[in-house]
Amino acid sequence: MPESPIRKLVPYSEQAKKKGINVLHLNIGQPDILPPENVIKKINNFQINEVQYSHSAGIELYRKGLSKYYQSISQDISHEDILVTTGGSEALSIILNCICDPGDEIIIPDPYYANYNGFSNASNIEIKAITCTIENQFKLPSTKEFEEKITDKTKAILICNPGNPTGALYSLPELKELAKIVKKYNLFLIADEVYREFIYDKCVHHSVLTLDDVIENVIIIDSVSKRYSMCGARIGCIVSRNKQIINTALKFSQARLSPPIFGQLAAIEALNTKKDYFNNVIKEYSKRRDILVEGLNKIPGIKCPMPKGAFYCIAELPVKNTELFCRWLLKEFHLDNTTIMLAPASGFYSPSNNVNNQVRIAYVLEVKKLKIAIEILKKGLEKYNN
Ligand SMILES: Cc1ncc(COP(=O)(O)O)c(C=O)c1O
């Protein structure tokens, strides 16, 4: 199993904290934004007499509530097309196990969410990565590039839209191109849409659930973790109109018995969240993104394309090896007793891809702290490079 690139530097941050240094965490996608008030109120007032397993597919009331949420994207989604999981993480591992035998392959635009490596490694599934570049703003690869990777072992194309770690957002024409490929080669199209709500600059998110032509090939991975800042609830889901996929996934769900009950009860309440909550959260992320990306691009030698969604960006730094630099920031550097923790981007690229000069930055801190973080990075680079 590969180490998580996000957590790998944790011992260094712990040592820094033991020395009394304040560490600003830009390395992990754990939002500092509060969950909706109605959810917190619900959690604090749970009236529960028993703690039982739920149905393996999830509480029916929740699945029915979720189907209404998805009907705003595609009218035909029913609760029978949805399985509740222990986070998007379990949804991913169940789906990969449903569609692949050991030795099978899935194609993923590179860089990608690092845990895709973990889930595929655990099941002996091979990732065929297609490199996307910072120069090209991590645009989706061309049909030709996808076709070059397809073999008789290929089972699916997996995309993350909007993307972690890149913040890239795929357009409807791009998704339609993917639809043509999966139709032609009879593949699944798995879309990790856990950041669906976080789209900026008045852009629009297009879900693969709208690709009617290939709806039987489409599988959605979803989660409440980021949508409502409820990472610890551990609730996600699988959505697919393909009955065989849902039936197979249900067998895996039965083997693990049940998704968490408290998380589901909180997630049921989250469905009542008002639009205002999202408007405010998106405004806040958008402000942070602008400040971060503008600030980064002002630092000599840094290149950072403007992300269109999610809450991450990839920045190229003027150093040879960002892993060593990130470690140095934690071990040896601070400004007014504060330092920053970033995630070296190499861990988000497939192992054969030697990209060592980029970092992933999560803008999950308030503006005041982000500005301090930018200053620390600037001063840190000056010192490191002299
Ligand atoms: C792209 C992506 N997919 C899935 C997940 C899994 O999230 P969870 O298991 O908390 O739902 C994450 C978490 O960071 C993510 O970034």
Side-chain angles (χ1 to χ4, degrees):
M1 287 292 285
E3 235 175 341
S4 159
I6 306 162
R7 293 168 195 265
K8 159 175 187 183
L9 298 175
V10 167
Y12 298 100
S13 75
E14 284 169 350
Q15 277 162 23
K17 284 176 197 167
K18 272 192 196 137
K19 283 195 277 180
I21 290 169
N22 180 25
V23 180
L24 297 175
H25 285 272
L26 299 160
N27 60 309
I28 187 162
Q30 169 129 289
D32 65 335
I33 300 228
L34 291 176
E37 250 174 64
N38 52 314
V39 174
I40 293 299
K41 209 159 147 196
K42 182 82 185 178
I43 294 172
N44 287 326
N45 289 299
F46 272 156
Q47 306 226 327
I48 289 171
N49 300 316
E50 43 191 25
V51 186
Q52 297 189 325
Y53 294 122
S54 75
H55 192 290
S56 296
I59 299 174
E60 192 170 294
L61 179 70
Y62 182 43
R63 291 165 72 213
K64 286 191 167 157
L66 275 175
S67 69
K68 291 212 181 82
Y69 166 86
Y70 289 108
Q71 279 160 15
S72 67
I73 301 170
S74 165
Q75 276 191 346
D76 296 328
I77 302 296
S78 99
H79 69 286
E80 290 178 348
D81 305 321
I82 302 170
L83 291 181
V84 182
T85 55
T86 308
S89 305
E90 190 187 49
L92 279 160
S93 78
I94 288 180
I95 281 304
L96 292 180
N97 281 314
C98 280
I99 65 172
C100 293
D101 285 320
D104 282 345
E105 299 167 1
I106 52 170
I107 302 175
I108 312 185
D110 197 8
Y112 51 85
Y113 175 50
N115 280 333
Y116 296 162
N117 282 328
F119 299 130
S120 49
N121 268 27
S123 300
N124 285 316
I125 296 163
E126 208 177 312
I127 291 181
K128 295 284 175 182
I130 310 178
T131 306
C132 305
T133 61
I134 197 165
E135 288 76 20
N136 208 0
Q137 318 217 330
F138 302 107
K139 222 168 117 22
L140 192 71
S142 66
T143 300
K144 183 169 170 281
E145 287 171 291
F146 277 105
E147 286 188 323
E148 279 167 4
K149 295 283 177 191
I150 295 174
T151 71
D152 57 0
K153 287 194 174 298
T154 309
K155 288 290 170 353
I157 293 173
L158 168 57
I159 57 167
C160 183
N161 186 32
N164 173 9
T166 61
L169 177 68
Y170 301 140
S171 67
L172 190 56
E174 283 174 316
L175 294 179
K176 285 187 172 165
E177 276 307 303
L178 283 181
K180 281 189 209 156
I181 304 171
V182 297
K183 191 168 187 176
K184 182 169 168 192
Y185 295 92
N186 195 22
L187 305 176
F188 288 105
L189 177 56
I190 310 169
D192 182 337
E193 296 186 359
V194 305
Y195 297 95
R196 183 186 300 113
E197 267 74 17
F198 308 115
I199 307 293
Y200 313 115
D201 300 334
K202 301 207 169 94
C203 293
V204 178
H205 179 260
H206 295 282
S207 170
V208 293
L209 282 179
T210 60
L211 299 174
D212 292 336
D213 230 22
V214 290
I215 198 67
E216 292 270 321
N217 304 53
V218 159
I219 303 166
I220 295 270
I221 303 298
D222 218 334
S223 170
V224 304
S225 292
K226 320 290 165 163
R227 180 162 309 134
Y228 309 103
S229 285
M230 287 169 64
C231 297
R234 305 311 304 130
I235 296 295
C237 68
I238 295 165
V239 187
S240 178
R241 292 273 307 284
N242 184 318
K243 295 280 173 244
Q244 206 184 347
I245 283 294
I246 292 295
N247 289 342
T248 309
L250 183 58
K251 291 188 225 166
F252 283 94
S253 303
Q254 287 165 346
R256 65 73 160 107
L257 305 183
S258 149
I261 190 81
F262 299 120
Q264 288 183 85
L265 295 175
I268 290 172
E269 180 58 40
L271 289 169
N272 298 326
T273 302
K274 298 270 183 302
K275 188 117 187 44
D276 261 8
Y277 173 81
F278 292 108
N279 292 343
N280 291 335
V281 172
I282 292 162
K283 219 195 264 166
E284 174 65 21
Y285 279 135
S286 172
K287 188 166 73 184
R288 293 175 181 189
R289 176 198 69 153
D290 291 349
I291 286 169
L292 176 68
V293 175
E294 274 167 34
L296 288 175
N297 281 315
K298 277 190 192 141
I299 300 175
I302 293 194
K303 185 158 56 182
C304 178
M306 186 61 95
K308 293 273 182 230
F311 37 71
Y312 307 97
C313 64
I314 293 257
E316 189 177 292
L317 305 188
V319 299
K320 276 209 174 72
N321 185 319
T322 51
E323 187 167 333
L324 296 180
F325 175 63
C326 291
R327 208 183 298 169
W328 176 86
L329 281 172
L330 292 168
K331 275 179 78 178
E332 321 242 351
F333 186 74
H334 60 90
L335 198 64
D336 296 334
N337 221 34
T338 305
T339 191
I340 51 175
M341 184 165 178
L342 310 173
S346 53
F348 295 90
Y349 282 91
S350 62
S352 59
N353 209 336
N354 256 337
V355 179
N356 292 317
N357 61 348
Q358 296 175 7
V359 284
R360 186 197 72 166
I361 303 179
Y363 38 100
V364 290
L365 297 180
E366 57 181 343
V367 166
K368 203 168 122 201
K369 288 184 182 159
L370 265 186
K371 287 185 176 166
I372 296 171
I374 296 167
E375 193 57 22
I376 293 172
L377 179 60
K378 184 175 167 215
K379 292 279 175 352
L381 281 169
E382 280 167 15
K383 185 154 186 211
Y384 190 75
N385 283 331
N386 280 318

